[in-house]
Amino acid sequence: MASRLLHRLRHALASDGPGEAAAAAGPEAEPFPESSELEDDDAEGLSSRLSGTLSFTSAEDDDDCDDDDDDNDGEASPDSLSPGDAASGEDAERSPPPDGQRGGQLLARQLQDFWKKSRNTLVPQRLLFEVTNANVVKDPPSKYVLYTLAVMGPGQSDGQPAQISRRYSDFERLNRNLQRQFRGPMAAISFPRKRLRRNFTAETIARRSRAFEQFLGHLQAVPELRHAPDLQDFFVLPELRRAQSLTCTGLYREALALWANAWQLQAQLDTPFGPDRPLLTLAGLAVCHQELENPAEARTFCEKALQLLGDKTPHPFLAPFLEAHIRLSWRLGLDKRQSEAQLQALQEAGLTPTPPPSLKELLIKEVLD
């Protein structure tokens, strides 16, 4: 369909003067509309995730007293198109053509707008993002919308997808940080603007949900952005902090779900997190399974960690994982000789104390930043 539209666009531009001038202006002549500002018909075809299983609650009766702290973190702007957007999108389609302008020129303008929007949005996505829930949370004196996104990896067809829950201010902080660091790649990526009013209506929530899906999909499609530490932190750091806190307070079952979700996120993102966060996640999984009397599962995660560590320079987590693996293997009646030999070699070389600290001790002391 895109090729047919491009052919019509070229044909119209070749036959109409004003249309040719508009094409010569290039894609930077006017920015494409924000995803959250597009009408449903305009947005069709611009993203593969404009709809889905989204469900939400709204507080339309509170529209006249919006106090969403997410939308008041900085200077808010009215919910209208910026001057650069005024000549594109739905305004371009609804404004009457100037006197003497032929219908072919208007068609060329519409096709040009569509092509610019399509070129900036029809990009390959490594991951699929879908807002599955959006709830208005009242936490006096503030009120905000919490968006829950499912994260589906390429080819994933079974099992539950990983999930994250973020509010508008989380997305805005990510966008602001990336804009500072990657001005070039971020220039073509849109972000839903703040609103002065009506932040909690069903329409606003639905539009922002679609915009956030597009926003994350675009970030994942650009390698330079996909590997950015700020984006990695956005996906996993809140879950890791919460899981660590629950583990330290002995709420192992609740913590286990968060550790498992964080491990799934890291596997799906397929980005270089460095060894510490995967090891911390595996330690959390092993500790929680051990405390919940699941020694076989705990041993499995210890083995994953030992494979990840390999024969590299001794890591602070190496001896605790070896000690846990030995103890769990003994409990299950499985072979533990290799781990015993490796731990003994570390102790004889003075690289770890005797006995080594436990996984739970290191997990509690680890600082997540």
Side-chain angles (χ1 to χ4, degrees), residues 301-321:
F301 288 112
C302 286
E303 289 183 335
K304 288 179 185 274
L306 294 174
Q307 291 174 2
L308 186 62
L309 286 164
D311 297 327
K312 300 178 182 178
T313 303
H315 189 279
F317 273 84
L318 177 57
F321 270 116

Side-chain angles (χ1 to χ4, degrees), residues 9-26:
L9 171 60
R10 290 174 174 169
H11 178 75
L13 292 178
S15 59
D16 296 302
E20 183 176 354

Side-chain angles (χ1 to χ4, degrees), residues 165-223:
S165 294
R166 302 289 184 267
R167 49 201 286 185
Y168 182 93
S169 60
D170 297 322
F171 285 97
E172 185 185 39
R173 188 181 306 110
L174 172 64
N175 180 63
R176 186 169 60 248
N177 291 341
L178 293 178
Q179 289 284 357
R180 283 199 301 260
Q181 301 172 50
F182 306 97
R183 291 185 177 274
M186 289 294 294
I189 296 180
S190 61
F191 186 78
R193 285 189 292 261
K194 296 179 180 232
R195 297 170 62 101
L196 288 175
R197 294 169 55 83
R198 302 182 64 81
N199 288 297
F200 305 105
T201 64
E203 179 184 16
T204 299
I205 294 174
R207 284 177 179 270
R208 281 188 174 174
S209 298
R210 295 194 299 269
F212 289 147
E213 292 171 356
Q214 290 181 330
F215 175 66
L216 294 179
H218 291 175
L219 295 180
Q220 278 290 313
V222 182

Side-chain angles (χ1 to χ4, degrees), residues 85-98 101 106 109-110:
D85 291 335
S88 62
E90 58 178 330
D91 289 344
E93 297 180 7
R94 295 182 180 180
S95 301
Q101 185 179 28
L106 179 59
R109 180 59 173 274
Q110 294 171 339

Side-chain angles (χ1 to χ4, degrees), residues 50-95:
L50 289 184
S51 61
T53 59
L54 170 65
S55 63
F56 54 83
T57 60
S58 63
E60 299 185 48
D61 54 329
D62 293 330
D63 289 342
D64 294 334
C65 56
D66 287 355
D67 58 351
D68 185 0
D69 62 331
D70 291 341
D71 295 295
N72 293 324
D73 289 338
E75 181 181 355
S77 59
D79 185 35
S80 59
L81 293 176
S82 63
D85 291 335
S88 62
E90 58 178 330
D91 289 344
E93 297 180 7
R94 295 182 180 180
S95 301

Side-chain angles (χ1 to χ4, degrees), residues 286 289 294-306 324-326 328-330 332 334-336:
H289 276 297
N294 300 320
E297 289 81 356
R299 184 178 182 272
T300 297
F301 288 112
C302 286
E303 289 183 335
K304 288 179 185 274
L306 294 174
H325 187 261
I326 293 170
L328 292 166
S329 298
W330 176 83
L332 294 168
L334 299 175
D335 184 22
K336 54 185 172 59

